Amino acid sequence: MTATMTDAPPPAAPKAATAAKPSGRSLGQILMLVAGALLLLAAVRVITDANQLDSAGQVSAAIGLAVPIGLAGLAGLWSERSGVVNIGLEGMMILGTFGAGWVGWQSSPWLGLLAGIGFGVLGGLVHAVATVTFGVDHIVSGVAVNLLALGATQYLAKLFFAGGKAADAGGNPKQSPPVDSLPDVTIPGLSDGLSSIEKHHWFLVSDVAGILGGLVTNLSVVTILAVLLFVGSWWVLWRTPFGLRLRSCGENPTAAESLGVNVYKYKYAAVAVSGGLAGLGGAFLALVTSHTYLEGQTGGRGYIGLAAMIFGNWRPGGLAMGAGLFGYSDALQLRNGGVTVHALLLLLVILLAGLAGWKLYKKALWQGVASAVMAALVLVWYLATDEVPSDFVGATPYVVTLLVLSLSAQRLRMPKADGMRYRKGQGK
């Protein structure tokens, strides 16, 4: 995320006569992309006999790991669409985990969920006061929020969980007592039928059954809420006057102000929503993933969420795909180890070879040759080994993050005024 931090006003708004190029992909293109990816995955599964690549268990685990990353990315999208860079997502997620664990243990998981959102909103408001009202550098403020959240939760955990009733219930300075579970959703008949089809390992049919089975089995209500939030965010930001005004603050706040938009108010609202969504992602970790608050349980997911947001080109659909990809790679290395990750090397060879052909077709000689060389090297690695070393397996999600960002960097278009300081009346 590279936004120039200056006191100068954002770039001038484009002239009305200039036709804006459509951004994003059409529904048909997305469906073709998904169908191609599914066919490729099914072929790799059959060739390598790695049946866990798209099993219902793998998909279910990937969803559980993708939700907090996706919520963090959605939080970043709201903030950056208003022009405020939010590096503090990690800290807001930490606040959400503590709030959910603390309140959820003392009352109910539902109130814990609300507390996680509320604690995240507080973190977002701190960031908004610093950046919007006082004009503090966005990166500096975000890092400060991360440090403050970490220190505050460590102190509060020692204060509330280290003794008395909390200690008797299983708490200690690094974790809260267990919290009751939130309900899961399973469609009994459909889930069992899809599981039966998956066990036959038919080409494509069993792959589709495994993916659908993971989507209808033991699905947390928070996961369903996250899906609704993605759809709702798209509708609010791209289909309502409120969303248009908010996005105008991230593109050209001076022009937005000249049209009567209260830029400060919209930036505050966006960053508060951003904090709430990040807090919800933290609450998911505390209430769904582990049923307890644990020190350090966010594990950098706020930063990976930002990477997913960038991969998605600051749009909910692409962001959801990026979060799903990162969650899938993380689940793969956690559940299956080096043997199944080894099968992904063949998938990587095919993708790099396809990229090489595309770059050469587009006359990008050096990029095409580099992709072809990488494909050849990975193919040699695949043919010469039977399993990926454990050290590389643990790094799978981070390698996927770097590869995805490097391959998608050329088509990115961030909001024009993202990260720039704005003072009321600066365009006069």
Side-chain angles (χ1 to χ4, degrees):
M1 200 174 312
T2 57
T4 304
M5 307 298 172
T6 68
D7 289 313
K15 297 179 181 179
T18 303
K21 294 182 180 181
S23 58
R25 298 178 182 273
S26 67
L27 179 61
Q29 289 176 317
I30 293 174
L31 292 176
M32 289 181 62
L33 187 64
V34 171
L38 185 57
L39 283 169
L40 186 58
L41 190 63
V44 170
R45 179 189 64 80
V46 171
I47 294 171
T48 61
D49 200 29
N51 293 318
Q52 291 298 318
L53 274 178
D54 52 14
S55 66
Q58 167 67 24
V59 172
S60 180
I63 292 172
L65 292 166
V67 168
I69 294 174
L71 288 171
L74 191 63
L77 184 146
W78 270 84
S79 181
E80 299 207 9
R81 278 293 176 179
S82 73
V84 179
V85 173
N86 194 353
I87 296 293
L89 292 174
E90 181 77 6
M92 296 168 200
M93 289 187 76
I94 292 173
L95 291 172
T97 60
F98 178 83
W102 180 39
V103 176
W105 159 62
Q106 297 183 82
S107 54
S108 74
W110 293 107
L111 289 177
L113 196 67
L114 292 176
I117 296 172
F119 274 56
V121 170
L122 289 176
L125 289 175
V126 170
H127 187 53
V129 169
T131 56
V132 179
T133 301
F134 293 105
V136 175
D137 183 279
H138 297 193
I139 304 299
V140 172
S141 175
V143 172
V145 169
N146 290 337
L147 295 175
L148 287 171
L150 180 60
T153 53
Q154 287 177 342
Y155 171 76
L156 292 173
K158 292 176 182 177
L159 187 64
F160 293 119
F161 302 145
K165 182 181 176 182
D168 295 337
N172 62 58
K174 294 186 180 294
Q175 72 176 56
S176 70
V179 181
D180 292 336
S181 301
L182 289 166
D184 291 333
V185 176
T186 298
I187 304 177
L190 182 59
S191 177
D192 295 339
L194 291 171
S195 177
S196 177
I197 295 174
E198 179 194 346
K199 292 176 182 177
H200 289 288
H201 303 310
W202 294 325
F203 176 74
L204 192 59
V205 176
S206 292
D207 299 281
V208 173
I211 293 172
L212 293 178
L215 297 176
V216 298
T217 305
N218 296 328
L219 203 62
S220 170
V221 291
V222 185
T223 300
I224 298 173
L225 174 61
V227 173
L228 295 176
L229 286 171
F230 267 85
V231 176
S233 294
W234 168 81
W235 183 79
V236 170
L237 291 176
W238 274 271
R239 290 294 183 270
T240 67
F242 172 85
L244 177 61
R245 296 187 187 104
L246 187 147
R247 288 186 291 116
S248 71
C249 295
E251 295 292 341
N252 195 324
T254 303
E257 181 190 359
S258 69
L259 295 174
V261 175
N262 188 331
V263 176
Y264 281 8
K265 181 180 75 173
Y266 278 89
K267 285 179 179 286
Y268 260 92
V271 180
V273 170
S274 175
L277 290 169
L280 179 60
F284 182 92
L285 293 171
L287 300 175
V288 179
T289 303
S290 61
H291 305 293
T292 185
Y293 158 78
L294 294 169
E295 184 179 307
Q297 72 187 136
T298 55
R301 288 178 175 83
Y303 302 113
I304 299 178
L306 282 176
M309 178 199 69
I310 295 170
F311 166 78
N313 209 6
W314 287 265
R315 285 180 168 270
L319 161 61
M321 293 175 62
L325 178 62
F326 301 143
Y328 175 82
S329 61
D330 202 5
L332 199 65
Q333 61 96 8
L334 287 174
R335 283 173 50 86
N336 304 299
V339 176
T340 306
V341 173
H342 181 262
L344 284 186
L345 294 178
L346 181 59
L347 181 62
L348 183 59
V349 169
I350 298 172
L351 292 176
L352 286 171
L355 178 64
W358 175 254
K359 291 297 183 182
L360 291 173
Y361 174 75
K362 288 292 186 178
K363 303 294 192 300
L365 181 62
W366 288 109
Q367 294 176 349
V369 171
S371 299
V373 171
M374 287 297 298
L377 291 175
V378 175
L379 179 60
V380 171
W381 184 11
Y382 173 78
L383 295 174
T385 60
D386 295 323
E387 184 175 349
V388 175
S390 58
D391 292 339
F392 289 98
V393 171
T396 299
Y398 308 102
V399 173
V400 169
T401 302
L402 292 173
L403 283 174
V404 166
L405 290 179
S406 63
L407 293 176
S408 62
Q410 295 180 350
R411 65 176 182 84
L412 300 180
R413 190 252 179 222
M414 67 191 300
K416 290 182 180 178
D418 194 16
M420 294 184 179
R421 283 191 202 130
Y422 168 77
R423 310 291 345 124
K424 188 174 183 180
Q426 69 181 17
K428 295 180 182 179

